[in-house]
Amino acid sequence: MTLENTPAADARRRRSAARLAAVQALYQHASSRTPQARLIAEFHDHRLGAEVEGEQLSAADQPFFDDLVSGTLARLDELDALVASFLGSGWTLDRLDRLMLQILRAGAYELVARPDVPRAAVVSEYVDVAHAFYEKREAGFVNALLDRLGRSVRDGEG
């Protein structure tokens, strides 16, 4: 069994897929106000691990996906205030594009609510999500903001 084919590696891939799908679901919710239950059901039925345009999507950790989406939506005001507190001078949440805001919200949620996931792993994973949609500069912005946010909410974690 190679390192990439271990159960631990599979679990990491499934969580990575869940994070990407969660950001997409949050974007859909922000764009169309799809009710949460319908949104999650739609992703379970048609997106997580599905084949899209002839390409097989990675299987996702569904309970983790569900927690990221429902937890982020339940704590939007708290997460938005937290993200806003780490934006640079003159920046507001309104200046962020809708997708970037969802990446930061999901990352902030995971840093605040999922102490079972190491801070550095959370930051790295959302930088990877940002790379799926943006250039290096924007991914660097995600890295810097979530790293500072993570250090503030996870005092003492290396």
Side-chain angles (χ1 to χ4, degrees):
M1 185 180 293
T2 67
L3 191 57
E4 286 80 37
N5 292 328
T6 66
D10 184 55
R12 282 192 300 275
R13 278 191 295 275
R14 293 172 64 82
R15 282 207 165 180
S16 293
R19 287 180 180 98
L20 179 61
V23 167
Q24 293 169 323
L26 292 167
Y27 179 83
Q28 180 176 325
H29 177 78
S31 299
S32 66
R33 295 290 176 217
T34 305
Q36 180 179 322
R38 192 170 90 202
L39 180 69
I40 289 173
E42 178 182 315
F43 270 76
H44 282 202
D45 295 344
H46 304 291
R47 300 271 188 79
L48 302 180
E51 186 175 311
V52 176
E53 297 178 6
E55 194 162 321
Q56 185 68 37
L57 300 178
S58 296
D61 179 331
Q62 284 189 4
F64 189 66
F65 165 83
D66 294 353
D67 178 57
L68 292 175
V69 173
S70 60
T72 300
L73 292 176
R75 297 173 75 168
L76 276 182
D77 291 340
E78 172 192 355
L79 298 172
D80 283 356
L82 191 56
V83 168
S85 73
F86 287 93
L87 292 174
S89 178
W91 276 83
T92 63
L93 294 178
D94 293 337
R95 282 191 66 187
L96 299 174
D97 78 27
R98 190 174 288 158
L99 179 60
M100 177 61 71
L101 181 56
Q102 306 323 307
I103 293 169
L104 296 173
R105 283 173 167 167
Y109 171 76
E110 198 169 340
L111 287 165
V112 168
R114 297 298 304 240
D116 58 308
V117 182
R119 177 180 50 87
V122 173
V123 173
S124 177
E125 286 286 331
Y126 286 97
V127 168
D128 288 347
V129 170
H131 277 298
F133 301 103
Y134 294 106
E135 298 296 324
K136 184 177 181 178
R137 181 174 179 221
E138 289 84 358
F141 172 75
V142 169
N143 183 56
L145 190 141
L146 290 180
D147 184 57
R148 288 184 321 199
L149 189 156
R151 289 177 193 277
S152 79
V153 300
R154 302 242 189 124
D155 189 30
E157 183 180 330

